Amino acid sequence: MRVILLGPPGAGKGTQARHISGKFGIPHISTGDIFMKNITGETELGKKAKEYLDKGYLVPDEITIDLVINRIREDDAKNGYLLDGFPRNLNQGEVLFQTLEEMGDHLDAALLIDVPFEDIKERMEGRRICTSCGASYHIKFNPPEKEGVCSKCGHKLVQRRDDHVEAVEERLKVYEEHTKPLISFFRKKNLLVSVDGTKGIEEVTEIILDVLTEMDNKDNNE
Ligand code: AP5
Ligand code: MG
Ligand code: ZN
């Protein structure tokens, strides 16, 4: 199964991706996480991506597209994957389609986690991420068992580097201008599935897993 997760920053893409990836046994490929890890590790890619990410801008397509295309060609992605944060503009969408065609593959769905802007800022302000395993929490909506400590691995929780006010504003602008047009792009291709992302985390997970399971069963019966 090849699925794309769409939605504004802070919609819950990363949160839901972990459940989907676990249930269907497909790798979760998050461009944001890849950039973030490379920045922390001070790699060449990290050095290139840092200034864009910290300001909330998109990392240029010349860097991002090759990264993803190489990743989906890896062995563990043969039977499918979940793309979180890619494509992020129409050009990335077009290139992805061309590549899939060349590979003889197709996408199954573009899943939009729909959340209005009013809810987004609180989600990003309250988000805390683990410095070791990357797990994401929310001080109010998804608190760890012990404040400031990851429930999964025991490491320290911190605020994400691009969750400060200026970057959040910019990310919302970038979303409106560059990413939102992908909604009609996928709708025209009959791939868009929209779920209400304003519900609680568990409820959203349930809705998404139901939709994808039904799709998967249909696919297997064809
Ligand atoms: P990326 O990491 O993709 O950031 P984003 O799109 O801004 O999305 P977020 O990760 O902030 O939100 P999310 O939807 O994953 O929400 P989460 O599950 O964490 O990208 C970062 C940067 O990398 C970009 O700005 C850009 O610079 C660069 N980049 C990445 N991809 C690129 C590309 N393709 N091209 C160019 N540049 C690229 O949830 C948020 C919070 O809300 C958490 O605290 C969570 O606990 C909470 N929450 C989740 N669901 C719920 C719920 N249902 N109810 C209440 N709270 C909830
Ligand atoms: Mg994310
Ligand atoms: Zn952790």
Side-chain angles (χ1 to χ4, degrees), residues 129-172:
I129 55 161
C130 175
T131 43
S132 176
C133 74
S136 166
Y137 298 86
H138 192 283
I139 50 173
K140 189 164 139 195
F141 304 126
N142 183 24
E145 281 150 31
K146 191 167 162 229
E147 198 186 315
V149 180
C150 178
S151 309
K152 296 197 178 86
C153 76
H155 282 81
K156 204 174 121 197
L157 299 180
V158 295
Q159 231 176 336
R160 215 170 88 165
R161 57 188 304 126
D162 58 348
D163 277 347
H164 58 86
V165 181
E166 297 84 14
V168 167
E169 297 282 337
E170 193 56 45
R171 283 156 66 203
L172 291 175

Side-chain angles (χ1 to χ4, degrees), residues 7-16 30-33 35-36 52-53 56-59 64 84-88 92 123-124 126-128 136-138 141-142 160 162-163 171 197-201 204:
K13 301 183 293 294
T15 303
Q16 299 301 337
S30 159
T31 38
D33 289 357
F35 289 136
M36 220 67 92
Y52 300 99
L53 204 122
Y57 302 154
L58 291 183
V59 177
T64 310
D84 164 7
F86 186 96
R88 201 88 152 208
Q92 294 180 4
R123 288 194 186 186
M124 286 195 273
R127 171 164 50 194
R128 298 292 181 273
S136 166
Y137 298 86
H138 192 283
F141 304 126
N142 183 24
R160 215 170 88 165
D162 58 348
D163 277 347
R171 283 156 66 203
T198 62
K199 304 245 183 333
I201 294 177
V204 177

Side-chain angles (χ1 to χ4, degrees), residues 34-94:
I34 296 174
F35 289 136
M36 220 67 92
K37 262 194 205 132
N38 277 277
I39 293 175
T40 311
E42 295 179 7
T43 67
E44 277 312 306
L45 174 65
K47 282 178 202 154
K48 285 185 203 152
K50 186 171 178 295
E51 58 175 310
Y52 300 99
L53 204 122
D54 282 350
K55 292 194 178 116
Y57 302 154
L58 291 183
V59 177
D61 284 358
E62 300 84 77
I63 299 174
T64 310
I65 290 178
D66 282 351
L67 178 85
V68 175
I69 300 306
N70 290 332
R71 180 65 188 85
I72 62 174
R73 289 181 189 276
E74 279 178 33
D75 268 358
D76 68 336
K78 272 211 175 83
N79 296 320
Y81 43 78
L82 181 64
L83 286 180
D84 164 7
F86 186 96
R88 201 88 152 208
N89 60 29
L90 288 172
N91 183 45
Q92 294 180 4
E94 300 281 5

